[in-house]
Amino acid sequence: MGVLLRLGLVILGVCSVAHAQSAYGVYEFAGTEFGGDGQPATRAPLVQPQGIAVDRDGSIVFADAGDHRVRRFLPNGFVSSVAGDGIAGPGMRLRTPYGVAAAPNRDIYVADLGNARVVRVAPDGSRQEFGGFQQPRNVAVDPNGVVYVSDFGANTVYKLGLDGSLKSVTAEPLRSPAGLTCDSAGVLYVADSGNQRVIALKNGAIRTVLKDFGAVTSIAVDGLGKLYAAGGDRVAVVAPSGEVTILMTEADEVALDIHGSLIAVARKQIRTYSPGGVTVLAGNAGIAYTGDGRPRDEWRFLHPTATIRDSAGNLYIADTGTGRVRRIDPEGNLSTLVASLGEPGYFAFDLKNRLYFSDSKSGSVYRIELDGTSKLFSRGSGTKPFVRPLGLAFDKGGRLYVADTGNAMLRRIDPDGFVSTIAGGGTSTKDGFGTSIALESPVGIAVDGGNTVWFTEAGRLRKMGFDGRVVTLPNIPLVDPRGLHLDSQGRLLVADAGANRVLRVDTDGTWEILADTLNGPTDAWQEADGSILVADSGSNRIRRLAKLQVAPVEQSPLRVIGVVVPGGVVELESDQAFPSPASRVWFGDAPAEVLSAAATRIVVKVPEALPAGWTEVRVEDWAVAPVEIVASARIENEDGSINSSEHPASRTGWVTVRMPGSGSVVTAEIASLEVPVVSVNDSGGQLTIVLQLPGGFLPSGRSELLLWVDGKKAPSPLNIMIR
């Protein structure tokens, strides 16, 4: 069956004689990009803080490469975001930013390494991008505003012109240059990390300042000409005379504040060092990806791999990137059940309802007892230890099957602890019997009621019968299938990380795509209500797939006009007459207030308490149509931040409006002022509108942004904050 969704042509599968197509919506369940903006900086979750710079007002700007943001520590002790929103990407987002520099005019330059560019962010939030780099690692600005960029991949340091031109500053070959800094006289210092030295450049001449201190990646110079070089567990201080002293101080990155005190990155924190001791300015390594005991909108995960729920309603999450097993209890509280692991992978319950999980880094399988304590269960046999074990599954006889990924084998652990190899180790990857064939990195594993063992590997779904024969299910389009589970009807749920989708496969080989807009899903687990929880590893989220109970659009005369916001106003139109002017309208199970009605048009107020996501709008029992409820249409500032009172837009700056709908001609207005429309993109029912805000008389604070799409006014105006 096929379903075309109004407010966007959402294709949820690809038709084929081999499979059916299902309409499933993708919803947020757990995990956010919470960054702590507007809160004390010591509560800010930092993932991989890197380059540091000190702005003229005394605030400290630093890059969080692992969280794809540039942050600012304010003199009042709070933290804010300068650029990036926690999601890696091009355009207004960042991807693994490393170095930052503050120019005399307060422009911030960012070495956006993952996007191979340098980004300039002006005080008003406007941006400029410079390309032509391979791996821009660090950036520095001298007292005259000249910008220098170290290119780790090109083994050179460039002078960056205002027109984007690049000029190498030295003909002498460098090796993986990293940290840069300039002194008050305009001398450029370079951490030539591959050559394990720090050099000074002036008028083309090179002078070695520090050598034999290791691969220095960060340097700073104070007003007296003393150079500081970060060495991880120590800092070298080089006096103008050349004398070197060592500070036994942890520092991965260094800078100097406006008072000359040393600032450093250490243990995922921004710290300052003074004769009085060490002060943590920003970052809390303990909450970087936890959110334990915090509100749901502050929960963070790092590459979650798998989920499973017990009979008491506790949900367990293998939070692989943090080395933890996390738990969400039935009351909705998040906690850490097991910490200090290597890389927890997949789960399984035994016949006594004890939870087992694999740890691919240590090559182990652990068991969590009913009292919550964990203990080592198995590391494989003495002659063949596990290597990166992942998928786990029990059969009805209590035997545990292990996808021994690193050994390219399927292993079985009997109740007495004996470990045997049941498949893999042979020479050919073709179908065959047990240990006579070769496997290719098996990951997911499931055992059905007939003791057939199903497993995923290298773009294939395979099964091993009671006779030991391994057979590949043909014509299933898999790229990098990983997690594998059986649903309540014995069908297989396959999380295909390589294709960003979840499939459901029947045992006869027919298949259907449940969702294909995910980001590296590694596991899919069916809940009791039929919905499916997905460990969407690439987005650091747990997502829920729920079936859309809607009639195909081709069978419904009902159309929804406008952005559907809780408490907002939308129009319902039809080519046929409604049953009566007094027709009642529901959004899901919530009744809507009818504001006005005509023969083919009804204006309604959307119920206030609707959750975001897809539902259906129904007029009496006459017609039904799918509709997406959005918390609000999204307005992004020029730096990629979401427009809000904490992140207002700048006059004359650009904003991007993202909203459901279709159209090509857009006009906009704020405070009776026409807003120039830069571009309109209709990507299958999702409008992306770029606007340039007017200057002059545009009021600051909150204003209404009015939009007309193809001549029709959006019924619900958007609120925009102006600086």
Side-chain angles (χ1 to χ4, degrees):
M1 62 180 175
V3 178
L4 300 179
L5 299 184
R6 183 71 178 175
L7 296 180
L9 184 60
V10 180
I11 302 176
L12 297 165
V14 181
C15 292
S16 162
V17 295
H19 79 289
Q21 181 181 10
S22 294
Y24 272 75
V26 180
Y27 304 89
E28 298 290 343
F29 180 79
T32 67
E33 284 96 28
F34 171 73
D37 283 3
Q39 298 192 20
T42 49
R43 284 210 61 250
L46 304 187
V47 183
Q48 187 187 353
Q50 291 291 336
I52 323 171
V54 178
D55 205 351
R56 198 174 63 195
D57 65 351
S59 62
I60 299 168
V61 180
F62 58 94
D64 191 342
D67 206 27
H68 315 291
R69 303 181 204 246
V70 171
R71 319 297 300 278
R72 184 188 295 273
F73 170 71
L74 301 167
N76 64 4
F78 284 64
V79 71
S80 64
S81 291
V82 175
D85 61 359
I87 302 175
M92 301 302 290
R93 289 181 165 144
L94 302 174
R95 190 188 304 275
T96 323
Y98 268 80
V100 294
N105 65 352
R106 302 201 63 202
D107 285 349
I108 302 299
Y109 287 85
V110 182
D112 190 13
L113 186 143
N115 285 317
R117 66 182 179 180
V118 169
V119 179
R120 181 191 65 83
V121 183
D124 64 359
S126 61
R127 293 164 52 116
Q128 184 179 7
E129 298 177 10
F130 304 94
F133 302 98
Q134 292 185 31
Q135 293 178 300
R137 176 61 165 75
N138 285 80
V139 61
V141 184
D142 75 7
N144 297 316
V146 178
V147 181
Y148 298 93
V149 182
S150 61
D151 194 323
F152 209 69
N155 292 313
T156 192
V157 173
Y158 295 110
K159 180 187 290 186
L160 175 62
L162 294 177
D163 59 355
S165 60
L166 301 178
K167 180 181 179 181
S168 182
V169 300
T170 175
E172 180 174 327
L174 306 176
R175 290 180 58 199
S176 304
L180 301 174
T181 191
C182 297
D183 66 16
S184 58
V187 176
L188 174 67
Y189 296 83
V190 181
D192 189 9
S193 65
N195 288 316
Q196 299 195 3
R197 64 177 182 169
V198 176
I199 60 175
L201 291 166
K202 186 172 183 180
N203 299 325
I206 293 180
R207 174 171 57 93
T208 298
V209 177
L210 178 67
K211 61 180 180 180
D212 301 327
F213 185 66
V216 175
T217 57
S218 179
I219 53 178
V221 64
D222 69 12
L224 300 176
K226 286 193 296 186
L227 181 84
Y228 296 77
D233 60 348
R234 55 193 178 142
V235 174
V237 183
V238 184
S241 64
E243 180 184 0
V244 178
T245 57
I246 303 297
L247 301 178
M248 298 310 296
T249 298
E250 292 180 283
D252 299 315
E253 300 277 334
V254 289
L256 296 161
D257 69 15
I258 57 176
H259 305 295
S261 297
L262 180 65
I263 308 169
V265 171
R267 300 187 183 184
K268 297 184 179 181
Q269 296 173 330
I270 309 300
R271 301 173 167 188
T272 184
Y273 298 88
S274 65
V278 179
T279 302
V280 175
L281 300 179
N284 186 330
I287 66 168
Y289 274 102
T290 62
D292 290 359
R294 302 296 303 169
R296 199 179 190 96
D297 60 4
E298 295 185 16
W299 294 358
R300 291 181 58 137
F301 305 105
L302 182 58
H303 306 314
T305 294
T307 64
I308 199 169
R309 195 182 292 275
D310 65 18
S311 57
N314 295 292
L315 180 71
Y316 301 88
I317 300 169
D319 198 10
T320 305
T322 65
R324 303 174 181 185
V325 174
R326 319 281 295 279
R327 178 175 59 191
I328 303 174
D329 66 23
E331 287 73 41
N333 302 306
L334 176 67
S335 62
T336 293
L337 184 64
V338 182
S340 302
L341 293 170
E343 294 179 356
Y346 290 86
F347 297 114
F349 281 108
D350 68 8
L351 301 179
K352 296 181 180 180
N353 288 320
R354 294 175 297 188
L355 181 63
Y356 293 69
F357 63 89
S358 58
D359 181 357
S360 63
K361 189 172 184 178
S362 68
S364 307
V365 175
Y366 290 90
R367 182 174 70 203
I368 298 178
E369 304 294 346
L370 297 179
D371 63 2
T373 60
S374 61
K375 61 184 294 185
L376 176 67
F377 177 69
S378 178
R379 285 198 171 103
S381 62
T383 57
K384 182 65 70 173
F386 295 141
V387 178
R388 291 193 300 113
L390 288 174
L392 303 177
F394 278 95
D395 67 13
K396 59 185 180 181
R399 298 179 295 183
L400 177 62
Y401 294 79
V402 181
D404 191 359
T405 307
N407 283 319
M409 294 177 173
L410 298 186
R411 314 290 292 278
R412 184 175 63 205
I413 307 175
D414 292 339
D416 61 4
F418 180 75
V419 180
S420 59
T421 300
I422 62 171
T427 57
S428 173
T429 58
K430 294 181 179 179
D431 291 352
F433 287 91
T435 55
S436 67
I437 67 170
L439 303 182
E440 297 179 279
S441 301
V443 175
I445 193 166
V447 183
D448 65 20
N451 277 355
T452 297
V453 179
W454 301 83
F455 62 98
T456 59
E457 60 155 1
R460 293 186 287 189
L461 174 62
R462 310 181 84 174
K463 65 178 180 178
M464 181 177 180
F466 184 77
D467 61 357
R469 181 174 178 80
V470 175
V471 176
T472 301
L473 273 68
N475 303 319
I476 300 177
L478 298 172
V479 179
D480 182 18
R482 303 187 71 77
L484 185 66
H485 288 288
L486 293 162
D487 71 6
S488 58
Q489 299 182 42
R491 299 168 298 185
L492 294 152
L493 298 175
V494 186
D496 190 348
N500 296 319
R501 62 191 183 188
V502 170
L503 287 78
R504 183 163 56 200
V505 183
D506 211 322
T507 53
D508 63 2
T510 58
W511 54 274
E512 56 186 328
I513 297 172
L514 304 186
D516 59 0
T517 58
L518 300 164
N519 185 358
T522 51
D523 198 35
W525 168 266
Q526 187 184 50
E527 296 271 74
D529 63 1
S531 65
I532 297 164
L533 292 185
V534 178
D536 201 25
S537 184
S539 67
N540 301 320
R541 296 284 206 283
I542 307 300
R543 301 192 187 275
R544 183 189 292 276
L545 309 184
K547 196 165 186 179
L548 296 171
Q549 300 296 326
V550 296
V553 166
E554 55 264 30
Q555 299 177 13
S556 175
L558 189 61
R559 296 187 298 276
V560 181
I561 309 299
V563 182
V564 186
V565 180
V569 177
V570 295
E571 299 178 15
L572 308 180
E573 289 186 350
S574 174
D575 295 330
Q576 305 173 22
F578 289 113
S580 77
S583 294
R584 293 172 297 175
V585 177
W586 289 265
F587 286 81
D589 295 327
E593 179 185 354
V594 176
L595 301 178
S596 65
T600 60
R601 177 178 171 274
I602 298 176
V603 179
V604 299
K605 182 179 180 181
V606 181
E608 295 276 0
L610 287 179
W614 284 93
T615 186
E616 58 186 29
V617 59
R618 177 166 53 90
V619 177
E620 298 290 350
D621 292 324
W622 173 74
V624 64
V627 64
E628 184 181 17
I629 310 299
V630 295
S632 66
R634 179 171 175 171
I635 302 178
E636 297 177 1
N637 298 323
E638 196 162 352
D639 64 356
S641 62
I642 304 301
N643 183 266
S644 65
S645 57
E646 292 80 15
H647 297 285
S650 300
R651 292 184 180 89
T652 72
W654 289 11
V655 295
T656 301
V657 180
R658 304 183 191 278
M659 56 185 281
S662 296
S664 58
V665 179
V666 174
T667 55
E669 180 182 294
I670 298 176
S672 301
L673 297 174
E674 181 181 353
V675 179
V677 178
V678 178
S679 65
V680 178
N681 180 36
D682 182 352
S683 55
Q686 179 71 26
L687 279 174
T688 301
I689 306 164
V690 179
L691 307 172
Q692 183 167 17
L693 300 179
F697 299 103
L698 185 65
S700 60
R702 186 183 302 275
S703 294
E704 285 190 347
L705 170 61
L706 305 177
L707 294 172
W708 288 262
V709 180
D710 288 347
K712 288 192 174 184
K713 183 179 179 181
S716 300
L718 308 176
N719 288 322
I720 184 170
M721 295 298 299
I722 308 295
R723 181 180 291 115

